[in-house]
Amino acid sequence: MDSTKSKAAENTGSDLSEQIKAVTKDSHVRAENTQLMLSYQKGQITQTQYKLLLCSLYEIYRALEEELDRNAEHPAVQPIYFPQELARLEALERDLEHFFGPQWRKRITVPAATHRYAQRLREIGKSSPELLVAHAYTRYLGDLSGGQVLGKITQKSLGLTGNKGILFFSFPGVTSANRFKQLYRSRMNSIEFTEQKRREALDEAVRAFEFNIDVFDDLQKMLSITEEASSEKGNEAASQSLSKTFSSSPALQFALGVGITLATVGMGVYAF
């Protein structure tokens, strides 16, 4: 962690939750103003993009929740382990089945960035479970903060009815998001970290944001390529091509899947 971020963390006091907000402030601002983030907020999302989003979220949460389950008794994980209230995997599975049908597992398509994210979660789950706290905090509290808004945007944009296809955004086990977030922060702040481990946790929170920003940089290049291809083929031909190549074009999967995934991740995380 650089000296500026370290000083910002120190100035916020000893609460880990406040320190995470302080050290990720700059990354937050940078990612918050990406074009994809702004586009999602305007409701510019297609069903194909959303399905790719669900695929990536599934892989991310599968890695996160399997590692949290495996380390549930770890002294740093146990205080913030709320599977009944927060687990997203089952909801994602139902959303994927809604869009892809009963054979949805065979149609999961994710970009390299998602694999890297999941790989990092599994890596620290095995070697440094206490660092899972940084990822769980930013993911779950971000989803709780932005879930309702994102769910409504997605529902309106795609013309969905009820909660079919958007169960990911619902937390039936949480009666009050604000009160639960207060409880979660309190539990996390109660975890006893050495100074070294606390610095590592703060670094990991920054790293989580930087993962997103790095992918956004690559995404802009990939999007420019796919947009040029779409322009050459014409809107109708491009739409048909997109449907046909959904499961076969790595470039298209990367550009659309990563971009919308990270836009959604950002909108949630930045609200905690």
Side-chain angles (χ1 to χ4, degrees):
M1 189 189 308
D2 63 39
S3 58
T4 301
K5 290 180 179 178
S6 178
K7 183 176 293 185
E10 292 174 0
N11 290 339
T12 61
S14 59
D15 285 351
L16 182 60
S17 60
E18 291 301 314
Q19 290 180 335
I20 287 178
K21 291 179 70 174
V23 300
T24 59
K25 183 178 179 180
D26 291 343
S27 298
H28 163 193
V29 173
R30 286 163 53 207
E32 188 178 47
N33 288 286
T34 60
Q35 187 58 50
L36 283 173
M37 173 85 68
L38 298 175
S39 295
Y40 197 106
Q41 293 181 61
K42 293 176 183 177
Q44 298 173 353
I45 182 173
T46 67
Q47 186 174 109
T48 298
Q49 291 170 331
Y50 181 59
K51 289 193 293 187
L52 286 168
L53 157 67
L54 291 176
C55 290
S56 287
L57 288 176
Y58 171 75
E59 291 297 338
I60 291 167
Y61 273 101
R62 184 170 67 150
L64 176 60
E65 293 181 359
E66 284 179 359
E67 293 307 319
L68 288 173
D69 289 346
R70 196 163 62 83
N71 292 283
E73 299 302 317
H74 188 281
V77 174
Q78 193 277 330
I80 52 90
Y81 182 64
F82 291 94
Q84 297 300 316
E85 293 84 358
L86 298 178
R88 300 287 82 206
L89 203 55
E90 182 179 347
L92 284 165
E93 290 175 349
R94 292 172 65 185
D95 286 342
L96 286 165
E97 184 173 5
H98 171 76
F99 286 107
F100 291 109
Q103 300 300 314
W104 63 268
R105 293 180 190 276
K106 297 180 180 179
R107 302 181 65 184
I108 291 291
T109 303
V110 298
T114 301
H115 287 301
R116 291 196 296 270
Y117 193 164
Q119 182 179 4
R120 177 58 181 171
L121 291 168
R122 296 191 186 283
E123 175 186 324
I124 62 176
K126 292 180 175 62
S127 63
S128 303
E130 65 277 1
L131 298 184
L132 290 170
V133 172
H135 290 277
Y137 173 63
T138 54
R139 276 244 52 98
Y140 288 126
L141 265 66
D143 293 335
L144 276 172
S145 297
Q148 293 299 312
V149 173
L150 284 172
K152 290 178 180 178
I153 290 175
T154 305
Q155 185 181 50
K156 183 177 180 180
S157 298
L158 303 186
L160 301 174
T161 58
N163 61 3
K164 292 183 178 180
I166 55 173
L167 288 172
F168 169 74
F169 301 109
S170 300
F171 289 81
V174 177
T175 56
S176 170
N178 287 333
R179 285 199 296 270
F180 187 85
K181 286 188 291 184
Q182 291 175 357
L183 170 64
Y184 196 96
R185 292 190 191 98
S186 176
R187 289 286 194 91
M188 187 176 74
N189 293 335
S190 73
I191 299 172
E192 295 184 3
F193 282 108
T194 64
E195 284 305 310
Q196 176 62 30
K197 288 299 182 181
R198 179 178 290 263
R199 285 194 295 270
E200 290 177 8
L202 294 175
D203 286 342
E204 192 66 26
V206 173
R207 186 170 187 172
F209 274 84
E210 294 301 323
F211 262 126
N212 293 348
I213 295 171
D214 288 345
V215 176
F216 273 130
D217 291 340
D218 287 344
L219 172 65
Q220 295 306 319
K221 299 174 185 177
M222 298 303 296
L223 280 176
S224 66
I225 294 174
T226 56
E227 286 171 359
E228 287 178 9
S230 296
S231 178
E232 292 175 358
K233 293 179 180 179
N235 291 336
E236 182 176 353
S239 177
Q240 294 174 349
S241 175
L242 177 61
S243 177
K244 292 178 181 178
T245 59
F246 168 69
S247 61
S248 61
S249 171
L252 187 58
Q253 293 163 6
F254 180 86
L256 295 179
V258 182
I260 302 304
T261 296
L262 292 175
T264 304
V265 169
M267 285 185 67
V269 168
Y270 306 144
F272 66 73

